[in-house]
Structures are given as structure tokens and as C-alpha cells.
Amino acid sequence: MKDAPRSPEPKQRMRAGTPDVAQFVLATGGSLLIGALYIILPRQLQVVPYWVVLALEVAMLVPIVIALASERVALSHRVRRGLAFALLAVVTLALVSSVIALVSQLPSFNGGGQLLRAGVAIWVMNVLVFAVWYWETDGGGPMMRLRHGHGAADFQFPQQMGGDQGRWKPGFVDYLFLAFCSATALSPADTMPLSRQAKLLMMAEALISVTVLVVLVGRSVNII
């Protein structure tokens, strides 16, 4: 008589319900890059000291990283979501304040090189900030997407059309590509927004992108 198959060990069950660590690392790196870009902005575009944004990001990410790396430290889903949205609030405020400062401080830029570097840094921040927004909000976040089988929720990727029989799962790079397309082509490209919050987020990203581009072009013409 064959032995009945044993149920998975507790560690295996826990790992099976854990989001992809590699994708979490990419999302974390993208978030920290926002703080790094804030550091290199011209001082007149920094509403708070240059190190504050990056320091706050690290403070919010450390508990999540420790919880993922250690089996003895556990964070509830509510706490993780709270930290994630606090992080989003910090980077979004940093982005919006920088855009407002760019518009208000525009006459102080006499050199095209400094203005171009500032505009490019803010534009890249815009792409990264909304990539993190899409990553954290689509389907309730990475943990909820995992629990629900990565079905289309707020965004529908091409691989999810037709029922997604292969259980394809979007990674951070997919949301980064979506944010890049929204900031350049001002359209979702091959990924469709399904919910109102997704559409509002894409509208906000496109508006910021257009503002930065108009400011750069307009001031460059005046300088030339």
C-alpha cells in the first residue's frame, strides 16, 4: 500500500504565498531611484532637504524587507499596505512639489544645460513614481494579485486577454513600460486601463509629463 502524499511543509506553504522576491527587489530599486533623482535636482527645486525623501523611503522599506527576508518577523497585509501607500505619498509629494517649483522658478534658469538636466530628472521621476503606483494598486497590490491568480483587474495586459489560461503574471518592468508609454505617447499603448482609478492615475501622469515638456520647450526657445 502506497503512502498517502504528505501535505507541504509550513515553510513551503508560506513561500508559495509570497510574492516574487525578484520583482519586489526591482520595485524597491525603482522606488529608491526616485529619492536618488531628487538628490541631484537643483536646490531651487527641492522643497525639503535633498536627503529627506530617500531617508523616508528607506525607513518605510526596511520593515518590509526584514519581514520578507526573515521567517521570524511577520507584517500583516494591512501594515504592508499602509507602508506602501505612505511611500507612495512621499514620492508623489516630492514629484508634484518639484514640478510646481520648476514652473515657478523657471526664470531663474539662464542656462539650457541646467534646465535640461532638471527637466529630464523630473520626467524620469514621473515615470518611476507612476510605475510604483501601478505596481501597488493594480488588483489590490502584488499580494492580492498573487492570491487571485493574476487576473486582469485595474489593467489588462495583452497576455491576460482570452482568460489568461497560462496564469501569466505582470512584473514591475511591465508596469514601468506602461508608465513610460503613458509619459511619452500619452496613451496606454497595448495595456488597457479597466478601472476609474487606473484611468485617473494615467491622466495625472500624462498631465505632469506634458507640463514638464511644455516648460522645457518654452524656456529653451526663450534662451535660444
Side-chain angles (χ1 to χ4, degrees), residues 36-112:
L37 287 169
Y38 189 83
I39 290 176
I40 68 174
L41 286 177
R43 292 295 181 261
Q44 63 264 39
L45 301 185
Q46 297 173 348
V47 180
V48 296
Y50 67 92
W51 53 268
V52 169
V53 175
L54 188 58
L56 289 174
E57 286 183 310
V58 171
M60 295 170 193
L61 286 169
V62 163
I64 301 177
V65 172
I66 293 177
L68 286 177
S70 173
E71 297 178 359
R72 297 182 178 181
V73 179
L75 287 178
S76 67
H77 180 67
R78 179 176 297 181
V79 172
R80 290 191 185 187
R81 296 298 288 163
L83 289 172
F85 279 108
L87 174 65
L88 285 171
V90 169
V91 297
T92 303
L93 287 173
L95 172 63
V96 172
S97 64
S98 297
V99 173
I100 294 174
L102 177 66
V103 175
S104 61
Q105 298 293 328
L106 191 58
S108 66
F109 289 94
N110 297 319

Side-chain angles (χ1 to χ4, degrees), residues 154-174:
D154 294 280
F155 297 99
Q156 185 178 53
F157 292 88
Q159 295 89 336
Q160 294 172 323
M161 296 180 181
D164 188 20
Q165 299 299 323
R167 291 304 178 196
W168 176 86
K169 57 182 180 180
F172 181 73
V173 173
D174 298 294

Side-chain angles (χ1 to χ4, degrees), residues 106-193:
L106 191 58
S108 66
F109 289 94
N110 297 319
Q114 185 187 31
L115 177 61
L116 180 61
R117 287 193 298 272
V120 169
I122 292 177
W123 188 87
V124 175
M125 284 176 61
N126 184 37
V127 172
L128 290 171
V129 166
F130 281 92
V132 177
W133 265 106
Y134 301 152
W135 164 261
E136 288 292 348
T137 57
D138 185 22
M143 181 64 76
M144 295 304 294
R145 291 197 299 271
L146 176 64
R147 292 176 181 175
H148 296 157
H150 299 284
D154 294 280
F155 297 99
Q156 185 178 53
F157 292 88
Q159 295 89 336
Q160 294 172 323
M161 296 180 181
D164 188 20
Q165 299 299 323
R167 291 304 178 196
W168 176 86
K169 57 182 180 180
F172 181 73
V173 173
D174 298 294
Y175 295 101
L176 181 63
F177 176 74
L178 173 62
F180 179 82
C181 291
S182 182
T184 52
L186 308 180
S187 68
D190 60 352
T191 302
M192 293 296 105

